[in-house]
Amino acid sequence: MTSPTIISQSISKGFDTGKVHLQVIKDSSLAILPGELTLVIGPSGSGKSTMLSMMSGLLRPDTGHVLALGVDLWPLGEAALDRFRLVNCGFVFQGFNLFSGLTALENVILPLQYLGVRGTEAATRARRALDEVGLGHRTHLRPAELSGGEKQRVAIARALVKNPALIFADEPTSALDKTNGQIVIDLLKHIAADHGTTVLGVTHDPRLLSHADRVIELEDGNVVRDRRTPHNNTTNNAKDHNHAA
């Protein structure tokens, strides 16, 4: 059997708001597999983004452990955590987080520069990643010249360009219409299947669930359902959607 790439062991997280303590995640244990698109769902305030942040090394749990690629994340110091995320993780956020003064190609090159990859090699890898998300013809444009769907696909290319073992996506379709939302989720599923990447995302959009390999449902900080979806053979190739808004 395939070994999990992310394992949470009895993690919990709470926040203090004035005199009130809100327990957001309660003693959660999960094992996430490579080569799959796993989506965490649940109502607003159920702890989806908090769960994702703890499992990606962005937010320290109050209790428990997170093992990613065999590394126990939270005993690490901040510098070691930063390095782990830089080398092994790609992130896709609902707000795109692109630099407005850079072209699509330059935005995708940026994380490679932090890894010490520059020049022709960086440009070649960035163009390859943009080709994979169907934007090879838009490399010269800045974010203001791109649609929302195209911006998110640039963000996916930026996450993909490092060839990370892990990709985390926080509400990646919330700012998109139905057509572009489907393109984005199909891309994430394609990356998981074709690259063997672990793709873990959170969403509130029920339209996306049939595209996931696995759906984990949170309610009041607890996992209440964990199910696999029937195999879907209708995944679209984003390169066929260059006309999408």
Side-chain angles (χ1 to χ4, degrees), residues 6-15 23-30 46-68 71-74 81 84-85 89 91 168 170 200 202 218 221:
I6 310 172
I7 300 171
S8 63
Q9 299 173 332
S10 300
I11 58 172
S12 65
K13 187 68 182 179
F15 300 96
Q23 194 66 35
V24 180
I25 297 295
K26 305 169 183 174
D27 193 27
S28 173
S29 297
L30 290 168
S46 60
K48 302 185 299 296
S49 292
T50 299
M51 174 81 78
L52 190 76
S53 294
M54 288 192 291
M55 297 185 77
S56 62
L58 291 173
L59 181 66
R60 185 178 298 274
D62 295 333
T63 63
H65 296 269
V66 176
L67 284 80
V71 176
D72 193 350
L73 295 184
W74 292 111
L81 260 178
F84 180 89
R85 290 192 301 263
C89 304
F91 292 89
F168 299 93
D170 191 355
L200 178 62
V202 302
L218 291 184

Side-chain angles (χ1 to χ4, degrees), residues 24 34 43 46 124 126 130 141 158 166 185-186 192 221 227 233 239:
V24 180
S46 60
T124 298
L130 284 163
L141 298 180
R158 182 183 57 192
L166 313 173
I185 208 70
D186 284 347
R227 62 182 175 85
N233 292 315
K239 294 179 183 178

